[in-house]
Amino acid sequence: MMRVGDKYYFDAVKGYTARHRVKPGITGLAQVRGLRGEIATTERARKRVEYDIYYIENWSPLLDIRIMIETVVKLVWDKNAY
């Protein structure tokens, strides 16, 4: 189970389970906005879940294309991307 600080995500972040309504992909909105990897604070965990819920509620082919383009941009120009 994923933890943030000393709590489990589902206890620390309201709406966490909603993010499981879609299959994970190669990249995502939260990842291209800098919320990838280990999340150490409840605030960053909340923000990640907010992006996931935004994606679920606003999905469109255009949003997926935008995420793919942002991913490529991050990979090419962001020195911290991995």
Side-chain angles (χ1 to χ4, degrees):
M1 299 223 156
M2 292 179 52
R3 294 179 70 92
V4 57
D6 61 346
K7 296 180 181 177
Y8 290 109
Y9 256 81
F10 57 83
D11 289 331
V13 181
K14 182 180 178 190
Y16 172 75
T17 56
R19 67 194 303 258
H20 295 291
R21 293 190 303 201
V22 295
K23 291 181 181 179
I26 295 170
T27 187
L29 190 57
Q31 287 73 22
V32 298
R33 301 293 161 81
L35 295 167
R36 61 188 179 276
E38 185 178 342
I39 300 292
T41 68
T42 303
E43 183 55 38
R44 288 180 55 84
R46 271 194 206 104
K47 196 69 175 163
R48 180 188 260 181
V49 171
E50 284 175 19
Y51 280 127
D52 290 342
I53 292 171
Y54 177 87
Y55 176 82
I56 292 166
E57 293 175 348
N58 296 284
W59 179 86
S60 71
L62 271 159
L63 181 56
D64 277 350
I65 291 168
R66 180 178 176 180
I67 291 169
M68 287 186 278
I69 291 169
E70 287 186 40
T71 299
V72 170
V73 169
K74 292 282 186 185
L75 287 172
V76 173
W77 283 284
D78 186 347
K79 293 177 183 171
N80 296 318
Y82 56 90

